[in-house]
Amino acid sequence: MADDLFKTAREAMGRAHAPYSKFPVGAAIRADDGKVYAGANIEVISFPEGWCAETTAIGHMVMAGGRRIEEVAVIAEKMARCTPCGGCRQRLAEFGTPDTRIHLCDASGIVETVTLAELLPLAFDSEALK
Ligand code: THU
């Protein structure tokens, strides 16, 4: 069932702009609207200005009207089971729930599925600002 997410993430990885790290990453989000949003990492010659595949996918989702993340697939060309970076964990938490599933993939499919709660325990969340 999440196989379509894996395939979309793998296709998105092909559109990465990663000439500096040479570490292409792809991500695909299934949102509450039932749609799938893809993203790849986009790097910039001023290195800190680049951003991750998950962030691109979140931007696509938000601009299309999706708000909740149900599941995500992440794939990196050079690494089996690439996990989202710390910043992306926080961004995913902004639009996900502790139960949101993160599928970690290699070139042939999903290798492992974890929850957002497992990736970002003790998350800083909106309770903090109340
Ligand atoms: N990267 C992602 O796109 N997602 C991650 O979860 C980990 C890292 C990208 C950022 C940078 O373009 C490259 O991988 C190397 O760090």
Side-chain angles (χ1 to χ4, degrees):
M1 17 98 240
D3 203 48
D4 61 325
L5 272 194
F6 156 67
K7 286 182 179 148
T8 302
R10 189 174 57 182
E11 197 181 312
M13 183 173 65
R15 278 179 240 126
H17 176 70
Y20 309 110
S21 72
K22 301 193 185 340
F23 191 85
V25 183
I29 290 171
R30 189 182 333 274
D32 53 344
D33 59 5
K35 293 185 186 151
V36 170
Y37 299 99
N41 52 333
I42 300 175
E43 298 179 349
V44 174
I45 183 63
S46 177
F47 298 160
E49 302 305 330
W51 63 91
C52 291
E54 298 90 328
T55 300
T56 303
I58 289 170
H60 280 148
M61 180 193 79
V62 171
M63 292 313 295
R67 276 298 178 272
R68 304 305 313 167
I69 299 175
E70 289 181 355
E71 50 182 343
V72 188
V74 182
I75 180 170
E77 195 179 271
K78 294 183 175 169
M79 187 182 186
R81 229 187 60 121
C82 176
T83 55
C85 78
C88 285
R89 291 177 197 206
Q90 189 74 54
R91 290 186 198 98
L92 292 167
E94 183 72 22
F95 299 100
T97 67
D99 296 330
T100 294
R101 298 174 301 289
I102 322 283
H103 307 292
L104 311 173
C105 307
D106 69 9
S108 50
I110 295 168
V111 173
E112 187 179 348
T113 298
V114 295
T115 65
L116 198 49
E118 288 173 308
L119 279 187
L120 191 64
L122 300 175
F124 180 77
D125 60 25
S126 57
E127 287 300 308
L129 300 186
K130 283 183 183 157

